[in-house]
Amino acid sequence: MMGRGALTAWLRRLGGLVLIAALIATLRSVGLLDPERLVRGVRNLGIFARGLFPPDPSTLPTLGGAMLETIQIAFAGTAIGFVLALPLALLACPVLFGPPVTASVKLVLALVRTVPALFWAIVFVVAVGLGPAAGTLAVALYSLGYLGKLLYETFDGVDPEVVEAVRSVGCSRAQLARYAILPETANGILALLLFMFEYNVRASSIMGFVGAGGIGFYLLGYIQLLRYDLLLSGLLLTLAVVILIDWLSGLVRRMFLIPVTPAAPAE
Amino acid sequence: MTADRRPALEASDLWFSYSARRPVLRGVSLTAAAGEITIVLGVSGSGKTTLLKLCKGLLGPQRGAVRVLGEPVVAGRRRRLDPGVAYIPQHLGLVRNSGVLDNVLTGALGRVAELPSLLRRLPEDELRRAQALLERLGIGGKAAEKVYALSGGERQRVAIARALMQRPRLLLADEFVSQLDVLTSRDILTIVRGIAAEGVAVVVTTHEMELADRYADTVIVLRDGEKVLDRRAQAETITDIALALRG
Ligand SMILES: Nc1ncnc2c1ncn2[C@@H]1O[C@H](COP(=O)(O)OP(=O)(O)OP(=O)(O)O)[C@@H](O)[C@H]1O
Ligand SMILES: [Mg+2]
């Protein structure tokens, strides 16, 4: 007879083998176990890498303008998305609304999130034409889906005692949101907004791939023209802007976010 | 003292369980009179918090009923509750990111016009009243501070001010002074006594027998969800209380 411990160890080993076999089969079916292809891939990467250097700064003025547009898309998109997400997230809050409302709102937000940002961009290019307006709407919708979810999860995290205490004064549900839920989560909301903006600057830089404005249009063009040296300038510019925005949002965090200590009386 | 002859709080035969398992409260009845302090004693887990939430209408009993000044208390997850009953939860439930004055002002939300209040426009006299309450409780200078920057005793006073802002006829306070040092808790209980003297019915839960001995007009002991003692406080009952607590 095998002991219980030995059996589980054996099962665990079997599970590991199955997992490795599945991985190998997958790599094969996606074509990554073809040696000829891998060798070709490495050679092409080498050509690509050599083509990147030295970066060619000649188009930086154009790229700068496009980068500014990218930031504008991210900024306006995040703002519009937030303004729409906030009321929806409150509608998804179980202390304010019953299951029929909260479940419907969560479903709508999940549907919005199912569609990738780039696909929304294509939809809006069709709807409002080429340019940053389409990109902004795409970023807004996409932010709505994510901010909506992140916000209602933040609201769910409010200390139930605070909700009970403020409900107890005999206030309405709107007043409960205004005087308990929103102030309690103000820090979290600001952190989410900064996170979403940072993320959207990256997301907006590929909106141009489908003609929805911003620096992506040029990046894609340089790839198609095999001008990897110009591409590198564009990527370095994007990197610089992303670092700058990370630094700025760090600054905002330190200015506004306050330490939260438990409301329990001090010991 | 008020002319009202009905007890401020009348809870009769309350049964409550959070899940299908053993009930947390089993047939607890209690009355609290205006102008008096009723202390509910019980060890941890005996059901004190649950009892107060039932009295406030934050939870609804599976059996039994609660009346405040003769009116039935109807519980509901999202319904408006009675501003006449103030409830101070175990950890106070203050809004940490808001200022002290704002926290106190929330006590007036049950009676002010709703739309202006959502834009943070509250009547001048409510502002004056909130400030006056803070002065009376000795923290007038802290009105502009954020709650997270206060000491435990100061937070306690903010919670009391918010409760008084409701102009309550009944004040329910959970584990009110357990986390404070002896001197501060004595100050706070003196304040509570003053509130009762103005005609408010006060119900305080605690696990400290000494408090019951010193401050209670009526003592109730809960053990394991059942009321095992209910009497007017007298000097010699402290041993009875000790016996009742442990069983
Ligand atoms: N939300 C809840 N869900 C399930 N069980 C709960 C819940 N709240 C309390 N209980 C259970 O109900 C019982 C009574 O809890 P209650 O909080 O009323 O006791 P208490 O006397 O206030 O205790 P303490 O002195 O520790 O605050 C405990 O056994 C507890 O585990
Ligand atoms: Mg408790």
Side-chain angles (χ1 to χ4, degrees):
Chain A
M1 271 301 286
M2 225 185 313
R4 212 187 157 76
L7 182 68
T8 31
W10 189 80
L11 278 178
R12 208 174 287 159
R13 219 167 296 145
L14 183 70
L17 284 178
V18 169
L19 207 64
I20 290 171
L23 179 62
I24 290 174
T26 309
L27 288 177
R28 223 186 124 85
S29 84
V30 299
L32 278 179
L33 284 191
D34 176 356
E36 201 180 316
R37 193 164 178 177
L38 285 178
V39 169
R40 201 164 1 108
V42 169
R43 201 176 332 119
N44 284 342
L45 273 183
I47 295 172
F48 177 70
R50 243 173 293 133
L52 285 171
F53 293 97
D56 179 349
S58 61
T59 56
L60 271 183
T62 321
L63 284 175
M67 191 68 228
L68 183 65
E69 193 173 88
T70 300
I71 295 170
Q72 287 170 330
I73 292 173
F75 182 64
T78 310
I80 297 171
F82 175 69
V83 167
L84 298 175
L86 194 63
L88 283 183
L90 287 170
L91 284 172
C93 203
V95 294
L96 299 174
F97 294 94
V101 179
T102 58
S104 330
V105 171
K106 286 180 184 182
L107 182 68
V108 169
L109 291 173
L111 286 176
V112 173
R113 280 198 310 279
T114 314
V115 181
L118 214 53
F119 185 87
W120 282 128
I122 295 172
V123 170
F124 285 116
V125 165
V126 172
V128 302
L130 291 168
T136 305
L137 289 175
V139 169
L141 203 55
Y142 168 85
S143 305
L144 165 65
Y146 273 93
L147 278 179
K149 180 184 165 72
L150 294 170
L151 283 171
Y152 75 64
E153 282 178 350
T154 307
F155 296 156
D156 277 351
V158 171
D159 183 352
E161 261 203 5
V162 175
V163 172
E164 284 171 350
V166 175
R167 272 193 72 204
S168 295
V169 308
C171 64
S172 70
R173 288 187 268 177
Q175 289 171 327
L176 180 63
R178 178 69 190 79
Y179 285 87
I181 296 173
L182 291 176
E184 270 293 281
T185 53
N187 281 349
I189 294 174
L190 181 60
L192 283 181
L193 260 180
L194 289 173
F195 164 79
M196 200 74 220
F197 177 59
E198 287 171 33
Y199 184 92
N200 281 343
V201 171
R202 293 176 183 87
S204 307
S205 63
I206 59 164
M207 284 292 149
F209 286 15
V210 295
I215 199 170
F217 174 75
Y218 296 95
L219 299 184
L220 186 66
Y222 297 151
I223 292 173
Q224 285 163 342
L225 296 169
L226 308 182
R227 288 298 306 274
Y228 300 138
D229 50 347
L230 290 173
L231 176 67
L232 184 59
S233 312
L235 290 178
L236 288 175
L237 179 64
T238 311
L239 178 69
V241 167
V242 165
I243 290 175
L244 183 72
I245 286 176
D246 278 1
W247 177 75
L248 277 176
S249 73
L251 213 64
V252 174
R253 273 199 188 96
R254 248 164 292 139
M255 269 166 60
F256 288 100
L257 297 194
I258 46 162
V260 171
T261 48
E267 45 291 325
Chain B
M1 207 152 283
T2 55
D4 211 328
R5 290 270 155 252
R6 292 167 304 179
L9 171 69
E10 218 178 345
S12 46
D13 192 30
L14 295 179
W15 287 73
F16 184 84
S17 56
Y18 286 98
S19 56
R21 288 178 297 118
R22 236 164 61 87
V24 166
L25 289 181
R26 292 177 285 160
V28 174
S29 299
L30 125 111
T31 55
E36 294 193 349
I37 297 181
T38 303
I39 289 192
V40 179
L41 270 168
V43 297
S44 184
S46 56
K48 304 182 295 292
T49 299
T50 308
L51 178 61
L52 287 196
K53 285 185 181 176
L54 285 165
C55 293
K56 177 61 221 184
L58 289 165
L59 296 172
Q62 272 102 28
R63 242 176 72 191
V66 180
R67 286 171 178 275
V68 170
L69 292 174
E71 295 295 317
V73 171
V74 186
R77 269 199 86 179
R78 285 172 289 274
R79 65 180 298 138
R80 236 182 213 266
L81 300 171
D82 177 8
V85 181
Y87 169 63
I88 303 178
Q90 199 156 356
H91 304 289
L92 306 179
L94 295 171
V95 181
R96 277 153 279 192
N97 277 350
S98 293
V100 166
L101 194 66
D102 285 349
N103 267 280
V104 178
L105 282 168
T106 57
L109 289 179
R111 61 171 175 268
V112 299
E114 173 151 10
L115 266 181
S117 82
L118 294 178
L119 303 168
R120 301 182 63 88
R121 302 225 178 292
L122 296 176
E124 269 302 317
D125 55 326
E126 299 291 6
L127 279 162
R128 275 195 301 273
R129 196 177 140 77
Q131 185 63 47
L133 277 172
L134 288 173
E135 306 285 351
R136 174 179 157 195
L137 293 172
I139 47 170
K142 301 275 181 179
E145 299 271 351
K146 298 270 185 186
V147 166
Y148 64 78
L150 299 184
S151 75
E154 288 164 345
R155 289 177 192 194
Q156 208 97 21
R157 288 163 205 260
V158 177
I160 297 175
R162 177 177 66 189
L164 291 182
M165 197 66 188
Q166 293 175 232
R167 301 203 187 109
R169 291 151 297 162
L170 171 64
L171 170 62
L172 308 166
D174 198 5
E175 292 283 350
F176 203 41
V177 288
S178 338
Q179 279 132 319
L180 298 178
D181 62 86
V182 183
L183 287 180
T184 312
S185 77
R186 214 171 272 180
D187 289 349
I188 297 283
L189 283 163
T190 307
I191 293 170
V192 170
R193 198 171 260 156
I195 295 168
E198 286 167 18
V200 177
V202 179
V203 179
V204 180
T205 70
T206 180
H207 51 248
E208 291 169 57
M209 288 192 303
E210 296 73 23
L211 293 184
D213 193 34
R214 214 178 240 276
Y215 295 95
D217 296 302
T218 300
V219 180
I220 283 167
V221 178
L222 280 187
R223 190 171 70 228
D224 232 357
E226 281 185 288
K227 190 171 76 173
V228 291
L229 187 134
D230 184 345
R231 68 174 59 170
R232 307 290 299 175
Q234 289 150 5
E236 67 270 21
T237 56
I238 188 126
T239 31
D240 302 346
I241 292 172
L243 279 173
L245 270 176
R246 292 280 160 219

